[in-house]
Amino acid sequence: MKKNQYLMDFSLGLINRTGAYFVCRDILEQLPEYFPSVRYWRMMLQRTPDGTSRRIVARLMMLELRLLRGREIAHWPEGRFVQGRTRLILDPLYVLRSKLEREDIVQCHDIGPVSHPELFGPLISGLYEEAYQKIKRTGCGMVFVSDASQSAFRERYGDKFRFMQTVAQYVRPGILSGETSPCPGVKAPFLLTVGALELRKNHLRVLEAYQRSGLHKRGVGYVFCGARGIGSDEILKKASTIPGVTALGYVTEPQLRWLYMNGCGFVLPSMLEGFGLPPIEAAQRGLVPLVTAGGAQEEAIGGAGVLVDPYCLESITDGLVRLVDMSADERSAHLQKTVRRGKVLTFNRYISAWDKILQKNDKFMHTDGWAASDSEELVA
């Protein structure tokens, strides 16, 4: 069967190296027959730029977005081969500088910049709101990383789209195997957070909750690691004042495996998540996760874990203590449920779901254009 061909806009790869980057990269690497050419800002490239060149290009791209926003002049190039063909745009922001038609597909990770503008600032929030309004006017196909993200999108922008489909992300195959490497200065027992140093990850409240919990006096440390993001300076400054806290920054995959293997609980009561892979990955390594009640994180772990109110310091503090004091039987019950969930969220399932969407895209020309059998296969 002949494969449909798309213009993939992977401009996301220039500025984002978090989980969103890796799952989008996997679509490109595992299904290359759909993508004869890939656009990064104004460039058609065979591979994602890296190093200094990537950072320079990213700054230029964001400057153009700020200056031109969604004006229909000087759209990003598409190349002669793709004229009249469908676009796959891997983040809503980049529809601003692209042509967008009903036959196209846009992936939405979350609507945080418009639902939580205080976490992103007025510039980013304004750009995303303009992008979402363009998407709404077009009524193109939409793919979401979680039902929670799809529900939030529907509530704000309605459901008049060619199709709206959830494809849940996956537990990385390598998380359960491979070499390990100790992190210098880290000793068990400790609670662990893996996530970008951003305000939306709620590091500041977790740090205060840990300080209030008294766990340091009981010999239980708190370790967090992740790339720098919005608010990282404030997070690191606060962490440096609290006994028992270790801020690691970026860690290698072997070090991450070691942290998962030696931690006594996983902590990430985020204020905003599109899906939330780290908690379910931690559970595969035997760490019961503490996450936000409701929304994408609870959905990701199947409701198994310590659920807290991310805006309530007392709730987080109590959750940390419960995580440490949990009985072996309760711990086992939580982990059994979350491990089962992880076995459903496989890499092969994720790629297969995208394969179905890309192959069948041109057949779905009405709202919610998936048959029940298709939805059951695609949604984890």
Side-chain angles (χ1 to χ4, degrees):
M1 181 182 295
K2 183 180 178 180
K3 299 284 189 180
N4 297 330
Q5 291 190 326
Y6 296 79
L7 167 68
M8 175 188 277
D9 185 295
F10 197 11
S11 301
L12 167 76
L14 296 175
I15 64 171
N16 187 324
R17 290 302 169 97
T18 64
Y21 163 76
F22 291 104
V23 296
C24 293
R25 182 196 64 183
D26 288 336
I27 299 170
L28 174 60
E29 291 184 349
Q30 297 299 314
L31 301 170
E33 64 272 22
Y34 290 106
F35 310 113
S37 185
V38 182
R39 180 174 64 195
Y40 299 86
W41 185 40
R42 290 189 165 276
M43 303 175 292
M44 298 288 184
L45 301 175
Q46 295 300 313
R47 61 175 59 187
T48 312
D50 209 349
T52 302
S53 62
R54 178 182 68 84
R55 290 190 288 271
I56 293 173
V57 171
R59 291 191 183 100
L60 292 172
M61 178 179 71
M62 292 307 299
L63 177 62
E64 180 179 355
L65 281 165
R66 293 187 184 102
L67 293 175
L68 297 183
R69 302 176 77 96
R71 297 173 188 169
E72 294 189 0
I73 57 171
H75 274 146
W76 291 349
E78 299 188 344
R80 289 177 296 173
F81 89 93
V82 82
Q83 291 178 4
R85 290 184 179 172
T86 302
R87 304 164 192 86
L88 171 61
I89 300 176
L90 293 174
D91 186 278
L93 179 63
Y94 308 109
V95 307
L96 287 176
R97 303 301 311 137
S98 178
K99 295 179 180 178
L100 188 65
E101 298 174 354
R102 185 172 172 79
E103 292 75 19
D104 296 334
I105 303 173
V106 178
Q107 179 175 227
C108 175
H109 303 272
D110 61 69
I111 62 165
V114 295
S115 63
H116 296 70
E118 70 280 3
L119 301 178
F120 295 87
L123 174 62
I124 296 299
S125 296
L127 288 172
Y128 269 96
E129 178 59 30
E130 190 171 338
Y132 283 126
Q133 290 298 336
K134 182 174 182 178
I135 291 168
K136 181 179 179 179
R137 291 192 301 271
T138 305
C140 57
M142 296 295 299
V143 178
F144 303 87
V145 301
S146 68
D147 288 335
S149 290
Q150 181 177 164
S151 177
F153 183 92
R154 283 176 178 269
E155 184 176 347
R156 185 175 289 261
Y157 299 107
D159 59 3
K160 304 302 181 183
F161 296 86
R162 188 162 57 85
F163 67 80
M164 304 180 76
Q165 180 63 51
T166 295
V167 177
Q169 294 178 14
Y170 58 89
V171 175
R172 292 175 296 163
I175 200 65
L176 296 177
S177 61
E179 64 181 38
T180 63
S181 177
C183 294
V186 178
K187 296 181 180 180
F190 57 86
L191 296 172
L192 174 66
T193 293
V194 178
L197 304 190
E198 299 177 346
L199 294 177
R200 68 187 181 96
K201 301 292 185 179
N202 217 9
H203 291 287
L204 293 176
R205 282 197 186 92
V206 172
L207 287 166
E208 188 170 350
Y210 172 77
Q211 187 174 30
R212 291 190 177 196
S213 71
L215 290 174
H216 170 59
K217 297 178 181 179
R218 296 170 53 184
V220 180
Y222 173 56
V223 176
F224 65 94
C225 58
R228 286 173 172 259
I230 299 173
S232 61
D233 289 343
E234 184 180 2
I235 293 166
L236 292 171
K237 181 179 180 180
K238 186 175 183 67
S240 68
T241 67
I242 302 175
V245 174
T246 303
L248 293 176
Y250 172 81
V251 297
T252 65
E253 282 292 323
Q255 288 176 323
L256 182 58
R257 294 189 193 100
W258 185 89
L259 289 169
Y260 279 143
M261 290 179 66
N262 289 275
C264 62
F266 185 86
V267 180
L268 191 62
S270 178
M271 291 181 280
L272 173 69
E273 289 291 340
F275 184 66
L277 277 177
I280 197 168
E281 290 187 343
Q284 312 309 303
R285 280 291 194 181
L287 301 188
V288 175
L290 179 155
V291 299
T292 296
Q297 284 187 302
E298 184 175 350
E299 176 187 335
I301 65 171
V306 177
L307 305 176
V308 301
D309 179 349
Y311 297 96
C312 177
L313 186 60
E314 183 178 358
S315 177
I316 299 173
T317 303
D318 291 345
L320 294 178
V321 174
R322 180 185 167 193
L323 199 57
V324 172
D325 292 341
M326 187 177 293
S327 70
D329 287 344
E330 185 182 3
R331 191 177 302 275
S332 177
H334 282 299
L335 290 174
Q336 285 178 13
K337 294 178 182 177
T338 312
V339 168
R340 285 198 299 269
R341 176 68 169 156
K343 289 180 178 178
V344 172
L345 299 174
T346 65
F347 179 76
N348 288 339
R349 185 187 182 98
Y350 174 79
I351 296 301
S352 177
W354 268 104
D355 189 20
K356 290 184 174 70
I357 288 174
L358 296 171
Q359 184 59 35
K360 297 181 179 182
N361 174 57
D362 57 350
K363 298 180 182 178
F364 302 108
M365 296 301 295
H366 59 281
T367 302
D368 295 335
W370 303 97
S373 59
D374 290 320
S375 296
E376 290 166 3
E377 293 177 8
L378 290 168
V379 181

